[in-house]
Amino acid sequence: MRFVDEYRDPDAAAEVATAIGRITTRPWTIMEVCGGQTHAIVRFGIDQLLPKEITLVHGPGCPVCVTPVALIDAAIDIASRENVVFCSFGDMLRVPGSSRDLLAVKALGGDVRIVYSPLDALALARRQPANQVVFFAVGFETTAPANAMAVYRAKREGVDNFSIVVAHVLVPPAMASILASPGNRVQGFLAAGHVCAVMGYTEYEPLARRFGVPIVVTGFEPLDVLQGVYLCVKQLEEGRAEVENQYARAVRREGNVQAQAMVQEIFEVAGRTWRGIGDIPGSGLALRERYASYDALQRFPFREPTLSPETECIAGEILLGGKTPTDCPAFGARCTPERPLGAPMVSSEGACAAYYRYRGRSAPTRV
């Protein structure tokens, strides 16, 4: 295949769905760990094509959604200061903190800008030496190389008015946390193809062996997801627990070695709090000591609020696959993209945003 429409061919999708039905003999629960895959599943009704024995659940595959309130509040505090230009991807502007969001800061006169790359923020710092330019470095391993490159260049070029708020999270520790939880019902995973394009999939092999679950590296188009499900179900039915690569057109086992080297130069593994989930050891990145001067949280000290506001949002249960967005009583009523109670309704990769956009308030059905 060469074109996107070939990966969305309904006849080809129906054939794969039929093939999944032929090999399925018992119920299986499979989790995708990528917001892009979640949106494809909901948008194209992939879950509705599958046999009733197959349940797809949505995991913590949206880095915007799992960025903790404390970091949002810190970003809001920094963006509200004089002589600060705060740069971010657009998704982050509507994510609620304790009392407001970054868009509210912008409305009140803060210099908050949407950029498309951390290198855009670095270029802005070069042009405005009198201002402090801060970039909100959010994402899984996918965006870490570009953020690392921005810090690397800033240090090499002596751009001292540039810094980043690090909010990187790592996928394998989150998967291990889900599998080790007492209420876990996930029996197989569709791993995020873009993460594996950077990191490869050797990190997933110990997980498959330790927990006895198949993990299939999967792309983002309908046929990708269906093929990923087929490979995962085939392993489950055969009693295997291996890592397979459906997304071979973009992913190699070793990943992008050069990108990994840049990440390792700038960042080190650290603990991270996931919004709605809690602390997961070794699940984040932090700047290494030699680059600590580019840490915006050190440059702009911030006192975290002692209490977070209560909310109806059940994001944690949704992110762990325990519930779907339509299980939330606030969904589509008190929580909408215009007035979100939680991050999954805001982000372009959020599960709630996907259900709201493609299915309205109706609960998913099966055929």
Side-chain angles (χ1 to χ4, degrees):
M1 299 184 191
R2 294 177 297 166
F3 305 107
V4 169
D5 58 352
E6 296 178 90
Y7 292 95
R8 299 179 180 180
D9 185 323
D11 293 331
E15 289 181 12
V16 180
T18 299
I20 294 170
R22 283 198 298 265
I23 65 171
T24 302
T25 65
R26 53 182 289 193
W28 300 110
T29 299
I30 299 170
M31 174 181 280
E32 84 276 359
V33 196
C34 170
Q37 292 168 350
T38 301
H39 275 250
I41 289 166
V42 179
R43 176 183 178 185
F44 295 102
I46 292 171
D47 53 337
Q48 299 173 355
L49 289 174
L50 299 174
K52 65 180 184 302
E53 292 85 0
I54 305 300
T55 300
L56 298 183
V57 294
H58 317 307
C62 167
V64 171
C65 302
V66 301
T67 301
V69 173
L71 272 181
I72 302 295
D73 286 342
I76 290 169
D77 178 77
I78 293 169
S80 302
R81 302 191 186 205
E82 293 184 4
N83 301 318
V84 167
V85 181
F86 195 89
C87 299
S88 172
F89 297 136
D91 280 4
M92 296 304 301
L93 269 61
R94 293 298 311 279
V95 178
S98 295
S99 59
R100 54 179 174 162
D101 55 30
L102 284 166
L103 195 61
V105 176
K106 183 176 178 65
L108 291 171
D111 196 344
V112 178
R113 307 190 188 190
I114 295 174
V115 295
Y116 299 96
S117 163
L119 296 177
D120 293 341
L122 178 59
L124 185 61
R126 295 190 194 101
R127 296 195 301 269
Q128 297 191 16
N131 289 324
Q132 289 289 327
V133 178
V134 181
F135 178 72
F136 207 167
V138 175
F140 289 130
E141 296 93 328
T142 321
T143 57
N147 293 331
M149 177 59 74
V151 172
Y152 177 80
R153 287 189 177 181
K155 185 175 179 66
R156 188 175 67 174
E157 298 171 15
V159 182
D160 296 327
N161 63 323
F162 174 79
S163 60
I164 65 175
V165 176
V166 183
H168 278 296
V169 286
L170 307 176
V171 175
M175 292 169 62
S177 178
I178 290 169
L179 290 169
S181 65
N184 172 59
R185 61 192 183 104
V186 176
Q187 297 163 293
F189 281 99
L190 305 184
H194 51 8
V195 171
C196 295
V198 174
M199 301 303 295
Y201 51 86
T202 57
E203 292 179 294
Y204 296 87
E205 292 167 347
L207 286 178
R209 291 192 298 267
R210 175 185 170 191
F211 293 100
V213 296
I215 301 173
V216 180
V217 179
T218 304
F220 311 96
E221 294 298 332
L223 278 178
D224 288 325
V225 176
L226 283 165
Q227 289 169 359
V229 171
Y230 175 85
L231 292 172
C232 196
V233 171
K234 191 170 188 293
Q235 283 201 51
L236 288 166
E237 290 283 343
E238 295 174 357
R240 294 185 291 118
E242 303 168 4
V243 179
E244 287 190 81
N245 183 16
Q246 180 277 332
Y247 203 36
R249 66 182 185 275
V251 172
R252 297 175 295 179
R253 182 174 180 270
E254 68 276 13
N256 186 324
V257 177
Q258 290 80 12
Q260 293 169 31
M262 177 55 64
V263 172
Q264 291 166 7
E265 165 66 22
I266 305 299
F267 295 112
E268 61 186 5
V269 174
R272 180 67 65 191
T273 299
W274 295 52
R275 184 173 189 157
I277 298 175
D279 295 335
I280 302 178
S283 65
L285 295 176
L287 287 169
R288 292 188 181 276
E289 183 61 33
R290 58 182 174 273
Y291 294 99
S293 62
Y294 293 93
D295 186 343
L297 297 183
Q298 292 192 24
R299 192 172 294 192
F300 304 95
F302 169 72
R303 179 175 294 179
E304 181 181 340
T306 56
L307 294 175
S308 295
E310 293 185 4
T311 175
E312 294 180 82
C313 182
I314 61 168
E317 295 172 271
I318 293 171
L319 292 168
L320 291 173
K323 293 187 177 181
T324 63
T326 51
D327 292 327
C328 178
F331 175 80
R334 294 176 299 282
C335 182
T336 67
E338 292 75 27
R339 298 180 65 85
L341 293 178
M345 184 59 89
V346 179
S347 172
S348 60
E349 293 190 348
C352 297
Y355 275 75
Y356 188 91
R357 179 175 182 181
Y358 300 117
R359 294 185 179 172
R361 293 200 63 191
S362 60
T365 59
R366 305 185 76 97
V367 295

